[in-house]
């Protein structure tokens, strides 16, 4: 069972005091090191005796771990808090099947009471290094904090980038909400372009994708900065540009370079996979509004 499935499983069994304890540990660990029981008690506004019981239960359930005299959230703990947040806000009520397991994230289906299916992306940046670093005492507090920061930041950044793109095109998945290391997205269909699916018109497809990069650039002032055939989904007719946590403002000092890099990734993929010849500089001029055709 994955951390996410474990988190979903224990969700209903947690008492209010346990949630408050988790929240106390979370609040205390983003700013300082691993909080001890006294600090958790102050942060959660629970008597230390209650914190003692709650931490023991949470540790047993795998949501909290002991580090020296302090406590730290586990990945399950973080994900349980995120899931609880979405449930409390009536955004989702159950976790569905896994959609994809990536290097930096896992993506699950999440279901609403009305039967809508969202894509829940859970960041796992540093999945392996976190565990190995954990064994080396001393650097563990810093490693844990940077793990939390990296994943919380990625989710927040992706949410904000997608909000900037909202309404510009159905090809940018709508971001519904974010919490901790997770972001809740509109589910889109299709396979990765890297699988080289059959497309009706290769050149037209490239035109559509460049048009989307152009819309993001000109209308939202955003460069994806990690665009490639792996972050484009398609059902053969429509295209979706996904994966936006590293997006930068068009005005960023490296904005133009990053944009050119995205464009080169896409045009060279179309050349390799579909034999479409497109000039990267012309494509760049089109995307940046210098010309009206690619
Ligand atoms: N909104 C979505 N709707 C449906 N599926 C999605 C959505 N977002 C992501 N996915 C699926 O999850 C996969 C990984 O998503 P994404 O590229 O955003 O994350 P990642 O961390 O870069 O993962 P990877 O390391 O595999 O590239 C996608 O290839 C796709 O299969
Ligand atoms: Mg990706």
């Amino acid at each position: 069972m994955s951390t996410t499935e474990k988190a979903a499983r224990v969700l209903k069994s947690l008492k209010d005091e346990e949630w408050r304890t988790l929240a106390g540990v979370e609040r205390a660990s983003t700013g300082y090191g691993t909080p001890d029981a006294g600090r958790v008690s102050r942060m959660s506004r629970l008597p230390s005796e209650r914190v003692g019981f709650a931490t023991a239960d949470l540790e047993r359930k795998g949501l909290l771990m002991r580090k020296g005299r302090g406590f730290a959230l586990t990945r399950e703990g973080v994900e349980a808090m995120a899931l609880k947040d979405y449930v409390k806000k009536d955004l989702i009520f159950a976790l569905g099947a896994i959609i994809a397991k990536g290097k930096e994230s896992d993506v699950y289906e999440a279901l609403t009471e009305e039967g809508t299916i969202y894509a829940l992306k859970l960041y796992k940046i540093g999945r392996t290094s976190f565990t190995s670093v954990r064994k080396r005492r001393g650097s563990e507090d810093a490693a844990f904090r940077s793990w939390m920061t990296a994943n919380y930041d990625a989710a927040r950044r992706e949410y904000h980038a997608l909000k900037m793109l909202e309404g510009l095109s159905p090809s940018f998945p709508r971001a519904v909400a974010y919490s901790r290391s997770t972001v809740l997205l509109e589910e889109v269909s299709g396979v990765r372009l890297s699988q080289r699916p059959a497309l009706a018109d290769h050149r037209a497809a490239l035109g559509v994708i460049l048009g989307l990069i152009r819309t993001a650039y000109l209308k939202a002032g955003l460069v994806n900065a990690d665009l490639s055939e792996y972050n484009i989904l398609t059902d053969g007719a429509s295209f979706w540009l996904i994966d936006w946590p590293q997006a930068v403002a068009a005005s960023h000092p490296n904005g133009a370079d990053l944009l050119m890099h995205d464009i080169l990734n896409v045009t060279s993929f179309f050349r390799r996979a579909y034999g479409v010849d497109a000039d990267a500089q012309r494509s760049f001029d089109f995307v940046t509004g210098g010309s009206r055709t690619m």
Side-chain angles (χ1 to χ4, degrees):
M1 212 190 314
S2 72
T3 57
T4 313
E5 286 153 16
K6 279 188 215 150
R9 187 162 289 202
V10 298
L11 211 58
K12 289 200 180 73
S13 77
L14 292 202
K15 298 190 278 285
D16 182 56
E17 283 184 3
E18 294 175 88
W19 287 116
R20 284 174 60 185
T21 301
L22 281 179
V25 173
E26 180 186 51
R27 222 173 305 136
S29 23
T30 35
Y32 310 85
T34 41
D36 60 14
R39 233 184 112 66
V40 176
S41 162
R42 287 193 298 281
M43 283 292 186
S44 56
R45 293 169 197 251
L46 285 171
S48 53
E49 174 199 314
R50 304 306 310 166
V51 166
F53 286 122
T55 50
D57 284 343
L58 290 166
E59 218 186 320
R60 200 166 36 74
K61 291 172 185 166
L63 305 184
L64 209 61
M65 61 189 167
R66 211 173 268 278
K67 299 217 293 183
R69 296 183 53 233
F71 295 96
L73 296 176
T74 61
R75 206 168 267 131
E76 285 91 327
V78 167
E79 294 182 354
M81 291 180 84
L83 288 171
K84 160 88 169 176
D85 198 18
Y86 295 134
V87 171
K88 204 174 67 198
K89 290 175 179 151
D90 271 333
L91 292 168
I92 63 170
F93 88 106
L95 190 71
I98 189 159
I99 302 176
K101 200 173 177 64
K103 239 178 27 252
E104 306 238 292
S105 72
D106 289 346
V107 180
Y108 278 82
E109 288 187 336
L111 310 145
T112 72
E113 218 132 4
E114 294 76 41
T116 306
I117 299 174
Y118 289 140
L120 175 63
K121 181 171 176 179
L122 306 114
Y123 277 94
K124 319 260 165 160
I125 300 168
R127 197 192 310 246
T128 49
S129 64
F130 175 52
T131 340
S132 60
V133 157
R134 204 151 70 185
K135 299 199 185 88
R136 276 185 278 125
R137 292 293 311 276
S139 62
E140 66 184 306
D141 278 7
F144 178 73
R145 274 206 307 287
S146 71
W147 171 82
M148 264 183 106
T149 310
N151 286 283
Y152 281 40
D153 281 359
R156 193 184 57 242
R157 289 172 58 96
E158 176 149 43
Y159 174 83
H160 288 302
L162 286 171
K163 278 292 157 201
M164 291 170 74
L165 295 165
E166 190 165 314
L168 296 179
S169 160
S171 290
F172 305 121
R174 189 172 66 85
V176 179
Y178 75 96
S179 180
R180 276 81 193 194
S181 56
T182 77
V183 54
L184 190 62
L185 306 165
E186 170 197 6
E187 189 188 48
V188 299
S189 49
V191 299
R192 292 181 184 203
L193 194 58
S194 59
Q195 293 182 262
R196 307 184 180 203
L199 304 174
D201 181 335
H202 299 152
R203 179 162 270 282
L206 175 60
V208 169
I209 292 166
L210 290 172
L212 291 167
I213 302 174
R214 184 183 212 255
T215 300
Y217 185 85
L218 293 180
K219 300 239 171 87
L222 275 186
V223 177
N224 178 295
D226 189 31
L227 200 62
S228 72
E229 62 274 24
Y230 297 97
N231 287 330
I232 300 173
L233 302 184
T234 180
D235 60 5
S238 300
F239 297 88
W240 292 273
L241 305 195
I242 63 162
D243 207 3
W244 290 82
Q246 65 298 308
V248 300
S251 59
H252 185 280
N254 297 329
D257 286 348
L258 291 164
L259 179 65
M260 189 51 148
H261 192 257
D262 281 355
I263 291 171
L264 276 167
N265 280 345
V266 173
T267 52
S268 64
F269 172 77
F270 268 83
R271 185 170 307 118
R272 261 192 340 268
Y274 299 114
V276 176
D277 205 23
D279 180 64
Q281 187 57 52
R282 266 181 70 96
S283 302
F284 182 91
D285 293 343
F286 166 66
V287 165
T288 52
S291 69
R292 297 174 71 83
T293 55
M294 57 176 259

